[in-house]
Amino acid sequence: MNQIPPNERLIIALDVPAAPEARALVVRLGDAGRFYKIGMELLMAPGFFELLDWLKAEDKKVFVDLKFFDIPETVARAVKNLSERGADFCTIHGNQSIMEAAARAKSGNTKVLAVTALTSLDQGDLDDLGFQVDVAELVLSRARRALQAGCDGVVSSGLEVERLRREAPRELICVTPGIRPVENRLEADQKRIMTPSAAIRAGADYLVVGRPIRDAADPRAMAQAIQNEIAEAVRAA
């Protein structure tokens, strides 16, 4: 198990419409949240980069999840700008040249993560898209290519992490979305989901949790309960 502080393994997705709501949630969570994800919804609202800067000023870690997919030079410039802004993680999509350009452009503490297969997709969805390949095989192939390109890790469903850990180098960072606490297993638009402890046992390094915390009656208590579950799973690993 990588030497990651247990309270940094939970990445809380700020899936809210606007920056003021995101700030309010971060304040409400207090020390139950150390690592936050900001993505496309907030990008389309005013104050995205001010929110990023504020999170860093509050000594939080920031995962910018925009899944860059463009010509390699454009992706490289975007990654460079995020590195200079202090983003800890950023996501990219695309082929080998895009991944290689992103890996070359990163600096400082920024880690580049390649998206394997979105957790909203299942085998039927891949078939519809014309990908005649097993989900697990696709994830493993993408992970291998990401490492070859110089990326730091991948975003992968917990259902594929165990095999990925068996067949890919340990230094690969695995960030797992689609995490649902046992008492909150509504699938919604996430099809390949897993509980926090199961994902850690499978080999995930970081777990992304959004709505189960945001929509809880007591978000701080929910975040702390997940932190406790992660810490226990790490100790047992």
Side-chain angles (χ1 to χ4, degrees), residues 140-205:
L140 189 58
S141 173
R142 294 279 297 165
R144 287 171 174 157
R145 294 184 65 182
L147 273 177
Q148 291 169 1
C151 295
D152 300 283
V154 295
V155 179
S156 172
S157 159
L159 300 180
E160 285 84 43
V161 165
E162 188 170 6
R163 180 178 175 187
L164 196 156
R165 279 299 182 214
R166 289 198 307 267
E167 302 186 33
R170 182 67 233 188
E171 64 266 22
L172 181 82
I173 296 170
C174 288
V175 176
T176 298
I179 298 298
R180 295 288 182 271
V182 171
E183 70 273 19
N184 189 349
R185 289 298 299 277
L186 296 176
E187 293 191 13
D189 59 348
Q190 301 278 12
K191 296 179 180 178
R192 299 187 345 271
I193 62 177
M194 186 173 275
T195 64
S197 57
I200 291 292
R201 289 196 302 270
D205 293 308

Side-chain angles (χ1 to χ4, degrees), residues 2 18 61-62 65 76 116 125 137 141 144 146 150 152 195 224 236:
N2 291 337
K61 302 192 78 172
V62 181
D65 185 22
T116 55
D125 295 318
E137 291 292 340
S141 173
R144 287 171 174 157
D152 300 283
T195 64
Q224 191 57 60

Side-chain angles (χ1 to χ4, degrees), residues 196-229:
S197 57
I200 291 292
R201 289 196 302 270
D205 293 308
Y206 297 88
L207 311 182
V208 180
V209 183
R211 283 164 289 184
I213 293 173
R214 180 198 68 190
D215 297 341
D218 186 339
R220 182 186 174 97
M222 175 61 77
Q224 191 57 60
I226 296 172
Q227 291 280 25
N228 294 343
E229 183 177 345

Side-chain angles (χ1 to χ4, degrees), residues 121-133 135 191:
L121 301 179
D122 59 16
Q123 191 63 55
D125 295 318
L126 290 180
D127 292 342
D128 287 344
L129 289 168
F131 293 101
Q132 301 301 314
V133 63
V135 174
K191 296 179 180 178

